[in-house]
Amino acid sequence: MKFKKIIYMLFIAISTSLVGCDEWLDVNKDPNNLSELTSPEAVMPVAQLAIGNALMGWDMGFAGALWSQYWTQDHTSSQFKFLDEYDETSFSTAYTNLVPFALNDLKAIKANSEVGSGHYLVAEALSIYTWQVITDTWGDIPYFEALKGDEGLFSPKFDSQEQIYADLLARVDALLEMNFSSADISDDYDFIYNGNVSAWVAFAKSLKLKLMLRLSETSGYNNAEVLAFAKEGGFITETAKISGEIWEPKDGKRHPMVEFDDAGYFDNVIASKTIIEFLNTNSDPRIGSLFTATSAGTYVGSIQGDFAYDGDTDGNGTADQDEEYSLVEFDNKSDLILMSTWEVNFYLAEVYARAGDSAAKSYYDAAVQASLDYWGVSGSVTGAGEYAEWPAGTVEENIKAIAMQKWVAYCKVQHIESFIERNRTKYPSVNAVEIKTPADRTDVYLNFPVGDFTISVAGLGKLSGNLPSSPIYPNAVITRNTNKPQQKTSLGQKVWWDQKSGK
Amino acid sequence: MKKIALMLLGIALFGVLVAEAQVKSITGTVTSAEDDMGIPGVSVSVKGTTIGTVTNLDGVYQLEVPSDAAILVFSFVGMKTQEIEIRGSEVNAVMEADLVGIDEVVVTAMGVSRQKKSIGYASTSVGGDEISEAKVVNPMNALQGKVAGVDISSAPGPGATQNVIIRGASSFGSNQPLYVIDGVPITNSQVTTGSALNNNVDFGSGLNAVNPDDIQNMTVLKGAAATALYGSRAANGVILITTKSGTNTDGQMKISYDGSVSMLRVGRIPERQDEFGQGWSGHHALDENGNWGPRYDGSDRVWGYVIDNSQQIKPYSFVESRIRDFYDFGLSHKNSVSASGGNENTTYFMSFSHNNVDGVMPEDVDTYKRSTLSTKGSHKWGKINLTSSVNYSNEKTKAVPSGQGSSVFRSLWEIPEDYSIVDLKDYKSKFNNLNNYFTPYGVNPYFSLFENGSEQVRHKVYGKVQADINITNELLLTYRFGADLESTNTEAWQAKIDIPTDAPSYNDQKNQPGNYSVNKRTRYETNHDAFLNYTKDLSEKLNLNALVGINFNQRGYTRVGGEVLALDVPGYYNLTNGLADPIASQYKMERRLFGAFGNVELGYDDYLYVTLTARNDWSSTLPAGENSYFYPGATASLVLSEMAKKMDMELGVIDFAKARVAYGWTGNDAAPYVIYPVFEKGYVGNPGYPNVDDLELPLNSINSWMISNQLGSPNLAPEITKEFEVGLEMNFFKNRIGFDFSYYNRLTDGLISNQPLDPTSGYTSIVSNIGDVRNKGIEALFFVSPVRTEDFEWKMSFNYSKNKNKVETLAEGEIFLGGFGGAGIVAVEGKEMGLFKTQVTQTVTIDGVEHIVVDGNGMPVATADEVVLEDKSVNEKFRAGFTNDFSYKNWSLAATFDLRYGGYIYSYQKDYMGWTGSGPETVYNNRQPFVIPNSVRLVNGEYVENDIPVASTDLHTFYSAGGFEQTDNFFIDRSYLKLRDIVLAYELPAGFAKRLGVAKIRASVVASNILLWTPKENQYIDPETTTFGNDISAKFGEFGANPTNQSYTFGLSVMF
C-alpha cells in the first residue's frame, strides 16, 4: 500500500511540474545584452562613430592615403604592400562599419522616431550620406532591398549606381522639404553637431550639393540646375566632424589612426614623394602639419610603391631602404571628418567655375583658407603670385586648380573622398613615366613630375599602367548573397559616374 | 610517501595475520572446457579474502582455507572467472575461454544494464583493466586506436583536451559526445586562454577530472537508436562511464594501489635545411632572424652585438639538435590508492589519486597536478537500495602559450639554424638580455618561457544520490539526482618589454606593454531522473522489460574576468598594476531541459529482441511554444546461433552469430540566447589584427547601444539526427576468430549553425537550421587468436572504420568552420564537410596548357579571392587500429597501432619555416634566381611568356607566401601511423604474491606514441596537434603549436 502511495504522489509531482514547465523553461532572455531600448536615438553614437571609423580607419584611411599618393609602403616592412601593388582588395571592414554598424542602426532610429523629428533628420541625412559613400566606393551595390535581414531578406538584389543616385537625390529632396523648425535633437547622442538642428539642415543641403556635383561627368548632369541650388545657399558653416576631444589614450578609445599607430602599423608608412615634392616645391605651409621633418629638417618622400628597390635613388650613399623619410604622426585629438567647410566651398567653386561665373574665385579662396585655418598655419597660398593663386583660366584649368587644392586639403583628414574626387576630376593627372630600372629612378629623381601622380612601381604591371578605380566587392557579400553579380576582376573597374577620359 | 609506505606495510601485515586463522584443506583440479586438459597457473582464492594459490603443471591445487570459507574463485587470463561453492574437501573447476562475453552485460542508456546479445546496435565497451593499463592521465587516451568509429586526438601539453568525434562530424558547432558518469551527465567544456592564433593555451575539459583507475568500464554508444533515450543531448553519441563500486567481500577490505612514473620526451621536431645560415636576402647579417644568409662554411665568425667592447664567436655551421636540446625530459608520476569492500547490504569504494606531470618545456613552466578523491557507497534496506557517489578533483595547470607574437614557438624559430639555443638560457646575461639580444626582430625564447605564462586551478565536484525501490519483484522505481559543479580560476600574463631606443636590439614592434588577465568561471549541471522499470515474463518464451521516466536538467555558467593591457611595474601581475583601469567583463548563461522517456523491450526465447524507445524534450533554448521535440527509436537483435540451437540445427564451427538492425532519432537543441533580438553595448568593429582593438563606447562619458549584428532567430528548430544501422557479429572456431561489422547511415537534418549573412542585409549572422549533413560508413572489428596453448596466447584485433561525409543541403553558399583570415575550412553544399579554402596561385589556360601567372618580379600571383579546394579536406579516408596481445605465463606484451589515411592539415610551422628560410624546400635551385617554370605575365592586358626570375632577395617573400602554390602549400597530408602504445606487463605468480602478503602484484612498462610515420610531404608536425579548440575546427590544424610528446612509463599495481 505504501508503495502505491509513492507512485501516486510521483504522478502528482510529474503533472504539477508539467503545468509549471513553460514557466520553468522561460530562461532564454539573454542577460548579457539589452532586450529593449526605450529611446531609439541611443544607437546614434555607434552609427556616427562607425561612419567616422570607416572613412579614416583600416581600409579607406590607408588605401585612400596610398592611392591618393600621400603615403607609400616603407622599404623594410610589408603590411601595405598590397595597396601599392594594386592587389585586389575589398574594404570589407569599412563595408561592415558602414552597413550593419551604421545604416542598420540609422534605419532603426528612423523607424522609431516621427517623420520630421530631429532624430529623423539626423538619421536620414547620415543614411543618405553613407549610401553615397558606399556607392561612390563600390559602384553598383544592393540598395533598395538592403537592410531587410529582419524581414528575412538575406540576399538583396544589386542596383545600378544610377538608380541609387536617383533615389538618394529624391530622398534628400524629401528631407529638405520637411519642416524642422520645432524639432530637437538630444545632444547626449550627437557627437557631430551636439543637437544643433539647423546645422543638420545645412548638412542635408550640402549633401544634396555633393550628390549633384558628383554626377558632373554623366550625361544627365545639368550645371545650371546645380548652380541655381548653389545660389540658394544655406550650406554648412561648421565642419561636420566627430571632434578629437572625445578620444582617450586607451585601447579601443583612440582615433582609429592612433589606434593603428599604437599597434605599430605606422612603421609601415612613409611619405610619398608625389605629395612631398608638390608641397616642397610650392613651399606649402601645411607640410609640417601633414608630415614629420627628417633630422635634417627637410621633408623627404619615397617614390610611390618603390619599397622593393634596394639601390640608392638619390645617389647620396645611403640605400633607399636606409634613407630617412618623412613620417606620419596622428595626434589623439584628431577629428573624424564627414564633411568639411573647405569641401563644400570647393564644390561651390567648381559649380560656379563650370558656369564661367567669376564668383568661383571667392569660394576657392575660402576653401583653401579653411584648410590652412584647420591646420592652424599662418600665411597664404592663394594670394597674387602665390602658387595656388586662382588661375581664372579656362573652365578646365579652373577645375584643375580646385582639384589640386582639394587633393592637398584632404590629406590626413578625408582620404577616401580624395580618392573618389580624383577619379571624378582626373586631377592630379597621371604622368606617363614608367619607373623600372635604376636609370629610370635617377631620371625621375632629377626631373620629378611635380603635381602629377606616378603609377606605383610595384603596381605598374597590375592595372596596365592605370590607377585603382574601385575596390572589389567584400567577400562577405560575394559569397553570401545569392543574387550577387560576377566579382570584379581587378581594381580597375570604374563606377558609373567615373566617365571622364584620361587616367 | 613515507606515510603511504607505512600504511601499505600495515595492510600487508594484516593480510598475513588473517591467513593464520583456523583452517581446513581443499584440493581439486582445474581443466579446460576445450580439451579437458589441466590448466596450470590458474589462480584459486577464497572469495573476499587474500587467501589463494595457483594450480601446478597438471592443473592441480591444494589450499588451506578458513573453516568458514564458502566460495572459491578461479581465475586465469583469457578465461572466464568462476566462482564455485565449497562442498566437501574437493572442488574442481572447468574453465571456459573468455574472448567475447556472449552473456556479457553491458550498460545502456540511463545506466540500465542489459545482456549484450539483446542489444540491437553497435556498442563497444572497454574494461577498467585496459584503461588502467594504459597509464594515461585522461581516460579517453586509453581508447585511442581501440574503438572503431571513434576519433580521439589530443592536443600537446600536460592536461590538454581530448577531441572526440564519433562516426564523423555532423554538426558545424559541437561534435563532442555527451559524457555520462554513473547515469549522470557531466559538463565537459573546454577552457582556453588567448585565441587560436595568439597566446593560446588549452587547459583541458571537464573529463580531465576523472581518474582512469576509478573506471570499471567505458561504453561508447555510437548510433542514434542507442542514444535516443538521451534525446536532444545525444546527437554526437554518448560515452557512458561506470565507476568502480565495492562488492560483497563479507566485510573484508580490499586495497589496491596503482602507481606509475613516466618520462616524457618531445616527439616530432621538423626537419630543417642545413645549407644556409643566418642572414637575409643572401647576405650575412648579425642582426637577422632568418636563414637567408650565405652557405655554411664552418669558419669561426663573430655573432651578436659588440657589448662592452666584446663580441661572441662561434662556427658558421648548422646546429643539428638545437631545438630538441631546448626541450627537457618531462617527468610524470602517479599514485592511486583505493579501498573497497562490503557485505550483503552495504558496499563502499574510496579512492585517492595524485598525478604530477612536468612537461617537456625546460624547468617547471609546464606542469599539471591533479588530485582526485572518490567515494561510492550503497546500502540496501528492505526493498530500498540507496547508492551515492561523490567525486572531487583539483587540477592545477601551468602552460606555455602557443601562437604568434613573442611566443616560445616564434622565438625559437626566429633563431638562425647556426645558433645553439641552449646557450641563450641565461636570458639576463650581458649578451642574451633583451636589450642586447642578437636580433631586434625576435625575443630570447627563454625570456618568453620564463616571463610569460598562464595558470589555471580547477575544482570539480560531481556525483549522485540514487534510490532504487523494488515496489514489487517486477516493478522497480529509481530516482537519481546528479550534480556537477566546476569552478576554474585562469590567469594569463605577458611580460612588459621595454627596450630603450638606443639599445642595439631596439625595435618598436618588439616592445610590449605587458598584460595580465584573470577569469573566474563556474559551471554547474544538475540532473534529476525518475523512472519505473517493469520486468515480466509474459509467457515462458516472451519477456517484457519496460521503462518510463522523466528527466529535469539544468545547466548554468558564469564568467567574471578582468584584464589590464599595459602594465606599470614589470613582473607584477595584478589587476591593480595597469597603466589604465582594468577592463572588466562578465557572462552568464542558464538553460533548462525537461524530458519524458520510455523504453519497451520484448525478448522472445532468448534469441529475438525488439526494443522501442521514445523521448520527448522541452528545451529552454528553443522558441517558446515550439520547444517540444520527439525522438523515437527502434532496434531488433536476432541471435542466429541461439535460434539455430533452439531449432536443433548444427552450427559447425560457428559459435555465435547475431544480426542487428536499428533506427533512431536524436537531436541537438540550440545554444541559449539566439532566439530573441538584442541590443549590444556599442562598439565599432576593426580588423582583428594583433593589438588592434575595436572602437568601444563609452566615449567622452557617452554610452551607446546598437542593434546586435546577429539577428534573432524566432523560428529555430532543433537539429535532428536520424540514423539507420545494421550489424552482424560472428564468432568461429571456439571463439578464436570473430568479427563485428556495422554499417550506418546518418542524416543530420536542420543543422544549427551560425549562418553568416551578407552585411548588406543589416546583419552579419543569424543562428539558423542551415543545412543537412549525411554521414555514412562502416565499422569493422576483427579478432583472432592464432596461438592459444597452456602457457602462451597470441591475440590480434583489428578495427577499421570509414566514414563518408556530405553536406547535402546548405542555405548559405559556404560556412566557415575554422581557421583564420587567410586560410580556413568550410562546408559547401554537395561536398564533404571541412574543405580547405585559401588563396592559391593564379593560373591561366592558354591553348589548352595551364600556366602559372606571375607578376613583374616573376613572383606567382595569388588569386584575388580565397578558393575552396575541393580535393583537400580535413577528413581522413579511413582509420584503422591494430592490436597484438601476447601472453606467456605471467608475462604479457601488447602493442596498438593507430593508422589514419588521407585528409589534410594546415601547418603554421611549415608556413613560418618558409619565412625564416629553415624549411628544407627553401634550398630549391641552390637559392639562385629561377624563372618559375611554365609561367606567364600580364603585359598590357595580354599574357606573355615570363622570363623574369624570382630574385634571391625575394625568396623569403616567395616561400613565406607558400612558394609555387601560395597558402595551399601549407596544407599537408595528415595521414599517419602511430605506435600508440606498447605495454609489457608482468604479474607476480599468485603463490609468490601470497608470500609477500598481497593478492596481486603487477608491474608494467608502457611506451606511448614513440613511433610516428607520416608521408614524405609532412616532415613538420605531428598531425594530431591543433590549436583550434576541440571540435571540427580543431581539425583545421596548428598555429605554432608546441610539439607533441612521447612517454615511457613504469607502472606498478598491487592488490591486497
Side-chain angles (χ1 to χ4, degrees), chain A residues 93-135:
Chain A
T93 300
Y95 192 77
T96 307
N97 276 189
L98 294 172
V99 187
F101 280 97
L103 285 170
N104 202 41
D105 287 290
L106 295 172
K107 181 192 152 197
I109 300 172
K110 282 198 294 173
N112 292 295
S113 48
E114 268 177 58
V115 174
S117 68
H119 297 128
Y120 183 90
L121 166 64
V122 180
E124 176 67 349
L126 284 176
S127 178
I128 297 166
Y129 174 90
T130 306
W131 275 117
Q132 187 187 8
V133 172
I134 290 170
T135 186

Side-chain angles (χ1 to χ4, degrees), chain A residues 186-208:
Chain A
S186 158
D187 60 351
D188 273 356
Y189 297 121
D190 182 8
F191 279 129
I192 295 173
Y193 281 130
N194 280 317
N196 182 341
V197 176
S198 54
W200 278 108
V201 173
F203 179 85
K205 283 205 130 182
S206 311
L207 183 57
K208 184 179 174 187

Side-chain angles (χ1 to χ4, degrees), chain A residues 143-174:
Chain A
Y143 171 79
F144 292 102
E145 290 186 352
L147 308 178
K148 290 186 176 170
D150 52 351
E151 297 168 32
L153 212 166
F154 297 159
S155 286
K157 280 208 258 323
F158 276 62
D159 299 299
S160 73
Q161 186 177 55
E162 189 170 4
Q163 285 173 307
I164 297 170
Y165 256 87
D167 193 65
L168 291 176
L169 281 161
R171 278 171 67 178
V172 79
D173 280 337

Side-chain angles (χ1 to χ4, degrees), chain A residues 3-24:
Chain A
F3 292 114
K4 273 191 180 161
K5 233 182 219 171
I6 292 176
I7 296 175
Y8 187 63
M9 278 163 64
L10 186 77
F11 276 107
I12 290 179
I14 292 173
S15 27
T16 338
S17 56
L18 279 176
V19 172
C21 206
D22 276 349
E23 220 167 280
W24 187 71

